[in-house]
Amino acid sequence: MKKFYYYFLILGIFWSPLYAQEKKMERAAEAIANNSYAEAKEILWPMTKKGRQSAELYAQLADSYYAMGELPKAAFWYQKQFFQEGEPEAEAYFRYAHSLKSIGNTTKADSLMNIFARKARGQKRAALIESRFAGKAAEGTTSYEVKIMPFNSERSDYAPAFYQEKLVFASARDTGNFYKRIHKWDHEFFTDFYSTDPESHSSEPEKIPELNSNFHESTAVFTKDGKTVYFTRNNYERGRKRDAKGVTRLKIYRAELDSHGKWQNIEALPFNSSSYSVAHPALNAEEDQLFFASDMPGGKGQSDLYVVAIHPDGSFGPVKNLAHLNTEARETFPFMSTSGILYFASDGYPGYGGLDIFKTTPELESSVENLGKPVNSKFDDFSLILDPSGETGYFASNRPGTGSDDIYSFRKLEKSPNCERHQDEME
């Protein structure tokens, strides 16, 4: 009898830590499903320090770093995942390849992308890779001058927008508030709107109090008369609203400027939902179309580009998916120039790594062009805007700079930049 007692005692000693580890893995998987990537990382990383090794553990860590835009760290953990037994899923090859580009290992990245294309045959991304661009990223170098802006902080600064003579942008900077909320995605502060004079090197960016809430605000676009703004905010109506998974989604809101110069009548647009995100609004030159990104059901990828007509009375037409542009990955942060060119960020088209910025003429279903270096880099490059002249603008990137995301200015040096052209051969 004593033998069996010791047997169960020993079994309990080994089983208890294993059970605890499995519960941690379940918590991490739940955090990832809820877009709480920083939380998942904090659960998983200590387990590796204690000697835990598994493909699942490394994959969850890698995916968390990838989602947070920390591609070099993602590459490290994807490498460990690939050294484990078992065949990784196709998406792991795709993300590992993007992550390798961030550390300059383009040869291995190209090889992994080709494997992904074979595994994902039938996808638009696979067709792009297997086309004449197979095995290589965009090689064109455009004639742009790029400069980091002096108003960037040590936190995330991104999503610039033109407003009168000012530049409005989203920032997670700490401006001395007694309490600031932390976002579970990356443990950054929630972002607020700030405005600044982009030509001034001394003026401090100022908050726009009427548009800011306790949660996220970002990606604004203002009408030419300056009296209406569309912007992204967390689902925040009489308190923050979560979906069935406990995730607070993003919505597009509209506000009007009153006679005292204050933003009022803030309303959520009717095609929003508490079950999916709708974000990053952009207006065409006539201001009768609104472009945006969403992960709503029925889309092609992780986030797709959409357009909706704005009627003269302010109501909206049916939402249309820009299916000929979207891939199975991320298309996001649209911007329409005054000349009718659509700029957007994507990691579904072959590029330099992470999100690259592309351009196209949407109504013609024409080819998509990568803007090339130095606007694009081996890191995430996104949220581009262009002034009416088409010669200068701003964008954001998480390339090494001042903070986790920084805003850069760019100026075109030549009329005809040498861009890498990616012809969509699926349509």
Short mmCIF file of all heavy atoms in Angstrom, two decimals, residues 66 94 98 101 113 116 124-129 131 133 136-138 300 303-305 322-332 342 344-361 365-371 376-377 420-427:
data_model
loop_
_atom_site.label_atom_id
_atom_site.label_comp_id
_atom_site.label_asym_id
_atom_site.label_seq_id
_atom_site.Cartn_x
_atom_site.Cartn_y
_atom_site.Cartn_z
N TYR A 66 5.31 39.45 -33.33
CA TYR A 66 4.97 39.86 -34.70
C TYR A 66 3.81 40.85 -34.68
O TYR A 66 3.86 41.88 -35.36
CB TYR A 66 4.60 38.63 -35.52
CG TYR A 66 4.37 38.91 -36.99
CD1 TYR A 66 5.43 38.86 -37.90
CD2 TYR A 66 3.11 39.22 -37.48
CE1 TYR A 66 5.23 39.11 -39.25
CE2 TYR A 66 2.90 39.48 -38.83
CZ TYR A 66 3.95 39.42 -39.70
OH TYR A 66 3.74 39.68 -41.03
N PHE A 94 5.10 32.53 -43.61
CA PHE A 94 4.89 33.89 -44.08
C PHE A 94 5.40 34.90 -43.06
O PHE A 94 6.15 35.84 -43.39
CB PHE A 94 3.38 34.10 -44.33
CG PHE A 94 3.01 35.45 -44.87
CD1 PHE A 94 3.14 35.73 -46.22
CD2 PHE A 94 2.53 36.44 -44.02
CE1 PHE A 94 2.78 36.98 -46.72
CE2 PHE A 94 2.17 37.68 -44.51
CZ PHE A 94 2.31 37.95 -45.86
N HIS A 98 8.81 37.52 -43.17
CA HIS A 98 8.75 38.97 -42.92
C HIS A 98 9.68 39.36 -41.78
O HIS A 98 10.37 40.39 -41.85
CB HIS A 98 7.32 39.39 -42.57
CG HIS A 98 6.48 39.72 -43.76
ND1 HIS A 98 6.74 40.80 -44.56
CD2 HIS A 98 5.39 39.12 -44.28
CE1 HIS A 98 5.85 40.85 -45.54
NE2 HIS A 98 5.01 39.85 -45.39
N LYS A 101 13.39 39.50 -42.74
CA LYS A 101 13.78 40.68 -43.50
C LYS A 101 14.18 41.83 -42.58
O LYS A 101 15.03 42.64 -42.92
CB LYS A 101 12.63 41.11 -44.42
CG LYS A 101 12.38 40.16 -45.57
CD LYS A 101 11.21 40.63 -46.42
CE LYS A 101 10.92 39.65 -47.55
NZ LYS A 101 9.78 40.08 -48.38
N MET A 113 9.41 32.30 -48.13
CA MET A 113 8.25 32.79 -48.86
C MET A 113 7.86 31.85 -49.99
O MET A 113 6.68 31.65 -50.28
CB MET A 113 8.51 34.20 -49.40
CG MET A 113 8.25 35.32 -48.42
SD MET A 113 6.51 35.39 -47.93
CE MET A 113 6.52 36.92 -46.99
N PHE A 116 6.06 29.05 -48.42
CA PHE A 116 4.70 29.50 -48.11
C PHE A 116 3.82 29.48 -49.36
O PHE A 116 2.67 29.04 -49.31
CB PHE A 116 4.74 30.92 -47.52
CG PHE A 116 3.40 31.59 -47.54
CD1 PHE A 116 2.43 31.27 -46.60
CD2 PHE A 116 3.07 32.53 -48.51
CE1 PHE A 116 1.18 31.86 -46.63
CE2 PHE A 116 1.84 33.14 -48.54
CZ PHE A 116 0.89 32.80 -47.59
N LYS A 124 -4.13 34.65 -53.05
CA LYS A 124 -3.60 35.77 -53.82
C LYS A 124 -2.14 36.03 -53.48
O LYS A 124 -1.32 36.29 -54.35
CB LYS A 124 -4.43 37.03 -53.56
CG LYS A 124 -3.97 38.25 -54.34
CD LYS A 124 -4.94 39.39 -54.19
CE LYS A 124 -4.54 40.58 -55.04
NZ LYS A 124 -5.55 41.64 -55.02
N ARG A 125 -1.80 35.93 -52.19
CA ARG A 125 -0.41 36.13 -51.78
C ARG A 125 0.51 35.14 -52.46
O ARG A 125 1.62 35.49 -52.88
CB ARG A 125 -0.28 35.98 -50.26
CG ARG A 125 -0.88 37.11 -49.46
CD ARG A 125 -0.70 36.85 -47.98
NE ARG A 125 -1.44 35.68 -47.53
CZ ARG A 125 -1.35 35.16 -46.31
NH1 ARG A 125 -0.55 35.72 -45.41
NH2 ARG A 125 -2.06 34.11 -45.97
N ALA A 126 0.08 33.90 -52.56
CA ALA A 126 0.90 32.88 -53.21
C ALA A 126 1.11 33.20 -54.68
O ALA A 126 2.21 33.04 -55.22
CB ALA A 126 0.25 31.51 -53.05
N ALA A 127 0.06 33.67 -55.35
CA ALA A 127 0.17 34.02 -56.76
C ALA A 127 1.14 35.18 -56.97
O ALA A 127 1.91 35.19 -57.93
CB ALA A 127 -1.21 34.37 -57.32
N LEU A 128 1.12 36.15 -56.07
CA LEU A 128 2.05 37.28 -56.17
C LEU A 128 3.49 36.81 -56.01
O LEU A 128 4.39 37.26 -56.72
CB LEU A 128 1.72 38.32 -55.10
CG LEU A 128 0.45 39.13 -55.31
CD1 LEU A 128 0.07 39.88 -54.04
CD2 LEU A 128 0.62 40.11 -56.47
N ILE A 129 3.72 35.90 -55.08
CA ILE A 129 5.07 35.39 -54.85
C ILE A 129 5.52 34.54 -56.03
O ILE A 129 6.69 34.59 -56.44
CB ILE A 129 5.11 34.58 -53.54
CG1 ILE A 129 4.86 35.51 -52.35
CG2 ILE A 129 6.44 33.86 -53.38
CD1 ILE A 129 4.53 34.79 -51.07
N SER A 131 4.66 34.81 -59.07
CA SER A 131 4.72 35.56 -60.31
C SER A 131 6.17 35.92 -60.61
O SER A 131 7.10 35.35 -60.06
CB SER A 131 3.86 36.82 -60.21
OG SER A 131 4.45 37.74 -59.31
N PHE A 133 7.85 38.12 -59.51
CA PHE A 133 8.51 38.66 -58.33
C PHE A 133 8.87 37.56 -57.35
O PHE A 133 9.25 37.82 -56.23
CB PHE A 133 7.60 39.68 -57.64
CG PHE A 133 7.17 40.76 -58.57
CD1 PHE A 133 5.90 40.74 -59.11
CD2 PHE A 133 8.02 41.77 -58.92
CE1 PHE A 133 5.49 41.71 -60.00
CE2 PHE A 133 7.62 42.76 -59.80
CZ PHE A 133 6.35 42.73 -60.34
N LYS A 136 11.84 37.40 -54.34
CA LYS A 136 12.52 38.67 -54.10
C LYS A 136 11.52 39.71 -53.62
O LYS A 136 10.34 39.65 -53.92
CB LYS A 136 13.23 39.17 -55.34
CG LYS A 136 12.30 39.50 -56.51
CD LYS A 136 13.09 40.03 -57.70
CE LYS A 136 12.17 40.37 -58.87
NZ LYS A 136 12.91 40.90 -60.02
N ALA A 137 12.02 40.67 -52.88
CA ALA A 137 11.20 41.79 -52.44
C ALA A 137 11.29 42.90 -53.47
O ALA A 137 11.99 42.79 -54.48
CB ALA A 137 11.70 42.28 -51.08
N ALA A 138 10.57 43.97 -53.23
CA ALA A 138 10.64 45.12 -54.12
C ALA A 138 12.05 45.67 -54.14
O ALA A 138 12.69 45.82 -53.12
CB ALA A 138 9.66 46.19 -53.65
N LYS A 300 -11.49 39.27 -47.26
CA LYS A 300 -10.52 38.33 -47.80
C LYS A 300 -9.40 38.02 -46.81
O LYS A 300 -8.89 36.91 -46.76
CB LYS A 300 -9.93 38.88 -49.10
CG LYS A 300 -8.93 37.95 -49.77
CD LYS A 300 -8.42 38.51 -51.09
CE LYS A 300 -9.50 38.48 -52.16
NZ LYS A 300 -8.97 38.88 -53.48
N SER A 303 -7.26 42.12 -42.45
CA SER A 303 -8.00 43.38 -42.56
C SER A 303 -8.05 43.76 -44.03
O SER A 303 -7.06 43.59 -44.74
CB SER A 303 -7.37 44.49 -41.71
OG SER A 303 -6.09 44.83 -42.19
N ASP A 304 -9.18 44.23 -44.48
CA ASP A 304 -9.41 44.58 -45.87
C ASP A 304 -9.68 46.07 -46.00
O ASP A 304 -10.07 46.74 -45.04
CB ASP A 304 -10.62 43.82 -46.43
CG ASP A 304 -10.30 42.39 -46.79
OD1 ASP A 304 -9.20 41.92 -46.46
OD2 ASP A 304 -11.17 41.73 -47.40
N LEU A 305 -9.54 46.58 -47.22
CA LEU A 305 -9.92 47.95 -47.54
C LEU A 305 -11.34 47.98 -48.08
O LEU A 305 -11.74 47.11 -48.87
CB LEU A 305 -8.97 48.54 -48.57
CG LEU A 305 -7.51 48.66 -48.16
CD1 LEU A 305 -6.68 49.25 -49.30
CD2 LEU A 305 -7.35 49.50 -46.90
N LEU A 322 -13.04 46.41 -51.49
CA LEU A 322 -12.14 46.58 -52.64
C LEU A 322 -11.42 45.26 -52.90
O LEU A 322 -10.21 45.12 -52.72
CB LEU A 322 -11.14 47.71 -52.37
CG LEU A 322 -11.76 49.10 -52.14
CD1 LEU A 322 -10.67 50.12 -51.86
CD2 LEU A 322 -12.58 49.52 -53.36
N ALA A 323 -12.20 44.27 -53.33
CA ALA A 323 -11.73 42.89 -53.39
C ALA A 323 -10.53 42.70 -54.30
O ALA A 323 -9.68 41.83 -54.06
CB ALA A 323 -12.88 41.98 -53.82
N HIS A 324 -10.45 43.50 -55.38
CA HIS A 324 -9.36 43.31 -56.32
C HIS A 324 -8.02 43.76 -55.73
O HIS A 324 -6.96 43.41 -56.26
CB HIS A 324 -9.64 44.09 -57.61
CG HIS A 324 -9.75 45.57 -57.40
ND1 HIS A 324 -10.84 46.15 -56.78
CD2 HIS A 324 -8.92 46.59 -57.72
CE1 HIS A 324 -10.68 47.46 -56.74
NE2 HIS A 324 -9.52 47.75 -57.30
N LEU A 325 -8.04 44.52 -54.63
CA LEU A 325 -6.80 44.97 -53.99
C LEU A 325 -6.42 44.13 -52.79
O LEU A 325 -5.23 43.98 -52.48
CB LEU A 325 -6.95 46.43 -53.52
CG LEU A 325 -7.08 47.50 -54.59
CD1 LEU A 325 -7.23 48.87 -53.93
CD2 LEU A 325 -5.87 47.50 -55.51
N ASN A 326 -7.39 43.58 -52.10
CA ASN A 326 -7.13 42.93 -50.83
C ASN A 326 -6.49 41.56 -50.98
O ASN A 326 -6.78 40.83 -51.93
CB ASN A 326 -8.42 42.81 -50.01
CG ASN A 326 -8.96 44.17 -49.61
OD1 ASN A 326 -8.21 45.01 -49.14
ND2 ASN A 326 -10.26 44.38 -49.78
N THR A 327 -5.62 41.22 -50.02
CA THR A 327 -5.01 39.90 -49.96
C THR A 327 -5.48 39.20 -48.68
O THR A 327 -6.30 39.74 -47.94
CB THR A 327 -3.47 40.00 -49.93
OG1 THR A 327 -3.05 40.52 -48.65
CG2 THR A 327 -2.95 40.89 -51.05
N GLU A 328 -4.91 38.04 -48.43
CA GLU A 328 -5.28 37.30 -47.22
C GLU A 328 -4.57 37.85 -45.98
O GLU A 328 -4.83 37.38 -44.86
CB GLU A 328 -4.91 35.81 -47.39
CG GLU A 328 -5.69 35.11 -48.48
CD GLU A 328 -5.15 35.39 -49.90
OE1 GLU A 328 -4.05 36.00 -49.99
OE2 GLU A 328 -5.81 35.01 -50.88
N ALA A 329 -3.69 38.81 -46.16
CA ALA A 329 -2.97 39.40 -45.03
C ALA A 329 -3.61 40.73 -44.63
O ALA A 329 -4.83 40.84 -44.58
CB ALA A 329 -1.48 39.57 -45.40
N ARG A 330 -2.79 41.76 -44.37
CA ARG A 330 -3.31 43.04 -43.88
C ARG A 330 -3.20 44.11 -44.95
O ARG A 330 -2.11 44.41 -45.43
CB ARG A 330 -2.52 43.50 -42.64
CG ARG A 330 -2.67 42.61 -41.43
CD ARG A 330 -1.80 43.12 -40.29
NE ARG A 330 -0.38 42.99 -40.58
CZ ARG A 330 0.60 43.44 -39.79
NH1 ARG A 330 0.29 44.09 -38.67
NH2 ARG A 330 1.88 43.27 -40.13
N GLU A 331 -4.32 44.68 -45.33
CA GLU A 331 -4.37 45.93 -46.08
C GLU A 331 -5.03 46.95 -45.15
O GLU A 331 -6.14 46.70 -44.65
CB GLU A 331 -5.14 45.80 -47.39
CG GLU A 331 -4.34 45.20 -48.52
CD GLU A 331 -4.02 43.74 -48.33
OE1 GLU A 331 -4.96 42.96 -48.03
OE2 GLU A 331 -2.84 43.35 -48.43
N THR A 332 -4.39 48.08 -44.92
CA THR A 332 -4.86 48.99 -43.89
C THR A 332 -4.33 50.40 -44.13
O THR A 332 -3.57 50.63 -45.07
CB THR A 332 -4.44 48.46 -42.50
OG1 THR A 332 -4.99 49.27 -41.48
CG2 THR A 332 -2.92 48.40 -42.37
N LEU A 342 -4.82 55.97 -54.56
CA LEU A 342 -5.04 55.37 -53.25
C LEU A 342 -3.71 54.83 -52.73
O LEU A 342 -3.07 53.99 -53.36
CB LEU A 342 -6.06 54.23 -53.33
CG LEU A 342 -6.30 53.45 -52.04
CD1 LEU A 342 -6.92 54.33 -50.97
CD2 LEU A 342 -7.19 52.23 -52.31
N PHE A 344 -1.90 52.88 -49.43
CA PHE A 344 -2.29 52.02 -48.31
C PHE A 344 -1.08 51.21 -47.85
O PHE A 344 -0.07 51.09 -48.56
CB PHE A 344 -3.43 51.08 -48.71
CG PHE A 344 -3.09 50.10 -49.80
CD1 PHE A 344 -2.69 48.80 -49.50
CD2 PHE A 344 -3.17 50.47 -51.15
CE1 PHE A 344 -2.39 47.89 -50.51
CE2 PHE A 344 -2.86 49.57 -52.17
CZ PHE A 344 -2.46 48.28 -51.84
N ALA A 345 -1.18 50.66 -46.64
CA ALA A 345 -0.13 49.79 -46.10
C ALA A 345 -0.57 48.34 -46.21
O ALA A 345 -1.75 48.03 -46.05
CB ALA A 345 0.14 50.15 -44.64
N SER A 346 0.39 47.48 -46.51
CA SER A 346 0.07 46.05 -46.68
C SER A 346 1.30 45.21 -46.38
O SER A 346 2.43 45.62 -46.65
CB SER A 346 -0.40 45.78 -48.11
OG SER A 346 -0.54 44.39 -48.35
N ASP A 347 1.06 44.02 -45.81
CA ASP A 347 2.12 43.02 -45.76
C ASP A 347 1.75 41.81 -46.61
O ASP A 347 2.39 40.76 -46.54
CB ASP A 347 2.42 42.60 -44.31
CG ASP A 347 1.22 41.99 -43.59
OD1 ASP A 347 0.15 41.82 -44.21
OD2 ASP A 347 1.36 41.68 -42.39
N GLY A 348 0.71 41.96 -47.43
CA GLY A 348 0.30 40.87 -48.32
C GLY A 348 0.98 40.90 -49.66
O GLY A 348 1.13 39.87 -50.32
N TYR A 349 1.42 42.09 -50.10
CA TYR A 349 2.16 42.22 -51.36
C TYR A 349 3.66 42.09 -51.07
O TYR A 349 4.12 42.49 -50.01
CB TYR A 349 1.89 43.58 -52.00
CG TYR A 349 0.51 43.72 -52.59
CD1 TYR A 349 -0.57 44.13 -51.80
CD2 TYR A 349 0.27 43.45 -53.93
CE1 TYR A 349 -1.83 44.26 -52.33
CE2 TYR A 349 -1.01 43.58 -54.47
CZ TYR A 349 -2.05 43.98 -53.66
OH TYR A 349 -3.31 44.09 -54.19
N PRO A 350 4.41 41.52 -52.01
CA PRO A 350 5.87 41.41 -51.79
C PRO A 350 6.48 42.77 -51.51
O PRO A 350 6.17 43.76 -52.18
CB PRO A 350 6.37 40.84 -53.12
CG PRO A 350 5.20 40.09 -53.68
CD PRO A 350 4.00 40.89 -53.27
N GLY A 351 7.34 42.83 -50.51
CA GLY A 351 7.93 44.10 -50.12
C GLY A 351 9.23 43.91 -49.38
O GLY A 351 9.89 42.89 -49.50
N TYR A 352 9.57 44.90 -48.57
CA TYR A 352 10.86 44.90 -47.88
C TYR A 352 10.79 44.23 -46.52
O TYR A 352 11.81 43.97 -45.90
CB TYR A 352 11.34 46.34 -47.70
CG TYR A 352 11.66 47.02 -48.99
CD1 TYR A 352 10.71 47.83 -49.63
CD2 TYR A 352 12.90 46.88 -49.60
CE1 TYR A 352 10.99 48.46 -50.82
CE2 TYR A 352 13.19 47.51 -50.80
CZ TYR A 352 12.23 48.29 -51.40
OH TYR A 352 12.51 48.92 -52.59
N GLY A 353 9.60 43.99 -45.99
CA GLY A 353 9.44 43.40 -44.67
C GLY A 353 8.42 44.17 -43.86
O GLY A 353 8.32 45.38 -43.93
N GLY A 354 7.61 43.45 -43.05
CA GLY A 354 6.57 44.13 -42.30
C GLY A 354 5.56 44.77 -43.22
O GLY A 354 5.33 44.32 -44.35
N LEU A 355 4.94 45.85 -42.76
CA LEU A 355 4.03 46.62 -43.61
C LEU A 355 4.83 47.53 -44.53
O LEU A 355 5.73 48.24 -44.08
CB LEU A 355 3.10 47.47 -42.75
CG LEU A 355 2.03 46.75 -41.92
CD1 LEU A 355 1.40 47.72 -40.94
CD2 LEU A 355 0.97 46.11 -42.81
N ASP A 356 4.52 47.53 -45.81
CA ASP A 356 5.05 48.49 -46.77
C ASP A 356 3.92 49.40 -47.25
O ASP A 356 2.75 49.04 -47.15
CB ASP A 356 5.66 47.77 -47.99
CG ASP A 356 7.10 47.36 -47.75
OD1 ASP A 356 7.55 47.39 -46.59
OD2 ASP A 356 7.77 46.99 -48.73
N ILE A 357 4.29 50.54 -47.79
CA ILE A 357 3.30 51.47 -48.34
C ILE A 357 3.25 51.31 -49.85
O ILE A 357 4.29 51.30 -50.53
CB ILE A 357 3.63 52.92 -47.96
CG1 ILE A 357 3.62 53.06 -46.43
CG2 ILE A 357 2.62 53.89 -48.58
CD1 ILE A 357 4.16 54.38 -45.93
N PHE A 358 2.03 51.17 -50.38
CA PHE A 358 1.80 50.95 -51.80
C PHE A 358 0.85 52.02 -52.33
O PHE A 358 0.20 52.73 -51.57
CB PHE A 358 1.18 49.57 -52.04
CG PHE A 358 2.06 48.42 -51.62
CD1 PHE A 358 2.09 47.99 -50.30
CD2 PHE A 358 2.87 47.78 -52.55
CE1 PHE A 358 2.91 46.94 -49.92
CE2 PHE A 358 3.70 46.73 -52.17
CZ PHE A 358 3.71 46.31 -50.85
N LYS A 359 0.75 52.10 -53.65
CA LYS A 359 -0.21 53.00 -54.27
C LYS A 359 -0.86 52.34 -55.47
O LYS A 359 -0.28 51.44 -56.11
CB LYS A 359 0.45 54.32 -54.68
CG LYS A 359 1.43 54.22 -55.83
CD LYS A 359 1.93 55.61 -56.21
CE LYS A 359 2.84 55.56 -57.43
NZ LYS A 359 3.28 56.92 -57.83
N THR A 360 -2.07 52.79 -55.78
CA THR A 360 -2.81 52.25 -56.91
C THR A 360 -3.91 53.24 -57.29
O THR A 360 -4.19 54.20 -56.57
CB THR A 360 -3.44 50.88 -56.56
OG1 THR A 360 -4.00 50.28 -57.72
CG2 THR A 360 -4.52 51.02 -55.51
N THR A 361 -4.53 53.01 -58.44
CA THR A 361 -5.71 53.77 -58.85
C THR A 361 -6.91 52.85 -58.70
O THR A 361 -7.14 51.97 -59.53
CB THR A 361 -5.59 54.26 -60.31
OG1 THR A 361 -4.36 54.97 -60.46
CG2 THR A 361 -6.75 55.16 -60.67
N GLU A 365 -8.77 49.46 -61.22
CA GLU A 365 -8.27 48.12 -60.89
C GLU A 365 -6.90 47.90 -61.52
O GLU A 365 -6.60 46.86 -62.09
CB GLU A 365 -9.26 47.03 -61.33
CG GLU A 365 -10.61 47.15 -60.64
CD GLU A 365 -11.48 45.93 -60.81
OE1 GLU A 365 -11.00 44.93 -61.37
OE2 GLU A 365 -12.64 45.97 -60.37
N SER A 366 -6.07 48.92 -61.41
CA SER A 366 -4.75 48.87 -62.02
C SER A 366 -3.77 48.15 -61.11
O SER A 366 -4.11 47.67 -60.04
CB SER A 366 -4.26 50.29 -62.30
OG SER A 366 -4.16 51.02 -61.09
N SER A 367 -2.54 48.08 -61.56
CA SER A 367 -1.51 47.40 -60.79
C SER A 367 -1.17 48.20 -59.53
O SER A 367 -1.47 49.38 -59.41
CB SER A 367 -0.25 47.21 -61.63
OG SER A 367 0.24 48.47 -62.05
N VAL A 368 -0.55 47.52 -58.59
CA VAL A 368 -0.16 48.11 -57.32
C VAL A 368 1.34 48.35 -57.32
O VAL A 368 2.11 47.49 -57.73
CB VAL A 368 -0.56 47.17 -56.16
CG1 VAL A 368 -0.03 47.67 -54.83
CG2 VAL A 368 -2.07 47.01 -56.11
N GLU A 369 1.77 49.54 -56.90
CA GLU A 369 3.19 49.90 -56.89
C GLU A 369 3.70 50.08 -55.47
O GLU A 369 3.06 50.74 -54.65
CB GLU A 369 3.42 51.18 -57.68
CG GLU A 369 3.12 51.06 -59.16
CD GLU A 369 3.38 52.36 -59.90
OE1 GLU A 369 3.74 53.36 -59.24
OE2 GLU A 369 3.22 52.38 -61.14
N ASN A 370 4.86 49.50 -55.20
CA ASN A 370 5.55 49.71 -53.94
C ASN A 370 6.30 51.04 -54.02
O ASN A 370 6.98 51.30 -55.01
CB ASN A 370 6.52 48.55 -53.69
CG ASN A 370 7.19 48.61 -52.33
OD1 ASN A 370 7.84 49.58 -51.97
ND2 ASN A 370 7.04 47.54 -51.58
N LEU A 371 6.19 51.89 -52.99
CA LEU A 371 6.87 53.19 -53.03
C LEU A 371 8.39 53.06 -52.92
O LEU A 371 9.10 54.02 -53.19
CB LEU A 371 6.36 54.10 -51.91
CG LEU A 371 4.93 54.61 -52.04
CD1 LEU A 371 4.70 55.74 -51.05
CD2 LEU A 371 4.60 55.06 -53.44
N ASN A 376 9.77 53.12 -47.62
CA ASN A 376 9.62 51.78 -47.05
C ASN A 376 10.95 51.28 -46.52
O ASN A 376 12.02 51.66 -47.00
CB ASN A 376 9.05 50.82 -48.09
CG ASN A 376 7.58 51.07 -48.35
OD1 ASN A 376 6.81 51.34 -47.42
ND2 ASN A 376 7.17 51.00 -49.61
N SER A 377 10.87 50.40 -45.54
CA SER A 377 12.06 49.85 -44.91
C SER A 377 11.80 48.38 -44.59
O SER A 377 10.76 47.83 -44.95
CB SER A 377 12.36 50.62 -43.61
OG SER A 377 11.36 50.34 -42.63
N GLU A 420 8.84 49.68 -57.80
CA GLU A 420 8.63 48.28 -58.16
C GLU A 420 7.15 48.03 -58.39
O GLU A 420 6.33 48.37 -57.56
CB GLU A 420 9.16 47.37 -57.04
CG GLU A 420 8.99 45.89 -57.31
CD GLU A 420 9.95 45.41 -58.34
OE1 GLU A 420 10.85 46.16 -58.74
OE2 GLU A 420 9.79 44.25 -58.78
N ARG A 421 6.81 47.49 -59.52
CA ARG A 421 5.40 47.29 -59.88
C ARG A 421 5.00 45.84 -59.59
O ARG A 421 5.69 44.91 -59.98
CB ARG A 421 5.21 47.60 -61.35
CG ARG A 421 3.76 47.51 -61.82
CD ARG A 421 3.64 47.92 -63.28
NE ARG A 421 4.00 49.31 -63.46
CZ ARG A 421 3.16 50.32 -63.38
NH1 ARG A 421 1.90 50.09 -63.10
NH2 ARG A 421 3.55 51.55 -63.56
N HIS A 422 3.87 45.68 -58.90
CA HIS A 422 3.35 44.36 -58.58
C HIS A 422 2.03 44.18 -59.31
O HIS A 422 1.00 44.66 -58.85
CB HIS A 422 3.15 44.22 -57.07
CG HIS A 422 4.42 44.36 -56.30
ND1 HIS A 422 5.35 43.37 -56.20
CD2 HIS A 422 4.92 45.40 -55.59
CE1 HIS A 422 6.36 43.77 -55.46
NE2 HIS A 422 6.13 45.00 -55.08
N GLN A 423 2.05 43.53 -60.41
CA GLN A 423 0.82 43.33 -61.17
C GLN A 423 0.00 42.21 -60.56
O GLN A 423 0.51 41.13 -60.30
CB GLN A 423 1.16 42.95 -62.64
CG GLN A 423 -0.06 42.74 -63.50
CD GLN A 423 -0.80 44.03 -63.75
OE1 GLN A 423 -0.20 45.06 -63.98
NE2 GLN A 423 -2.11 43.98 -63.69
N ASP A 424 -1.24 42.48 -60.29
CA ASP A 424 -2.12 41.47 -59.74
C ASP A 424 -2.56 40.54 -60.88
O ASP A 424 -3.31 40.93 -61.76
CB ASP A 424 -3.33 42.14 -59.10
CG ASP A 424 -4.32 41.12 -58.53
OD1 ASP A 424 -4.08 39.92 -58.64
OD2 ASP A 424 -5.33 41.57 -58.00
N GLU A 425 -2.09 39.28 -60.84
CA GLU A 425 -2.42 38.34 -61.90
C GLU A 425 -3.56 37.39 -61.52
O GLU A 425 -3.85 36.45 -62.21
CB GLU A 425 -1.15 37.53 -62.24
CG GLU A 425 -0.03 38.42 -62.77
CD GLU A 425 1.23 37.63 -63.10
OE1 GLU A 425 1.21 36.40 -62.95
OE2 GLU A 425 2.22 38.25 -63.51
N MET A 426 -4.18 37.71 -60.35
CA MET A 426 -5.29 36.86 -59.92
C MET A 426 -6.60 37.26 -60.59
O MET A 426 -7.51 36.46 -60.71
CB MET A 426 -5.45 36.96 -58.41
CG MET A 426 -4.33 36.28 -57.62
SD MET A 426 -4.44 34.49 -57.78
CE MET A 426 -5.90 34.19 -56.82
N GLU A 427 -6.71 38.54 -60.94
CA GLU A 427 -7.99 39.01 -61.47
C GLU A 427 -8.07 38.78 -62.98
O GLU A 427 -7.08 38.90 -63.67
CB GLU A 427 -8.15 40.49 -61.15
CG GLU A 427 -8.07 40.77 -59.65
CD GLU A 427 -9.20 40.12 -58.87
OE1 GLU A 427 -10.27 39.94 -59.46
OE2 GLU A 427 -8.99 39.77 -57.71
#
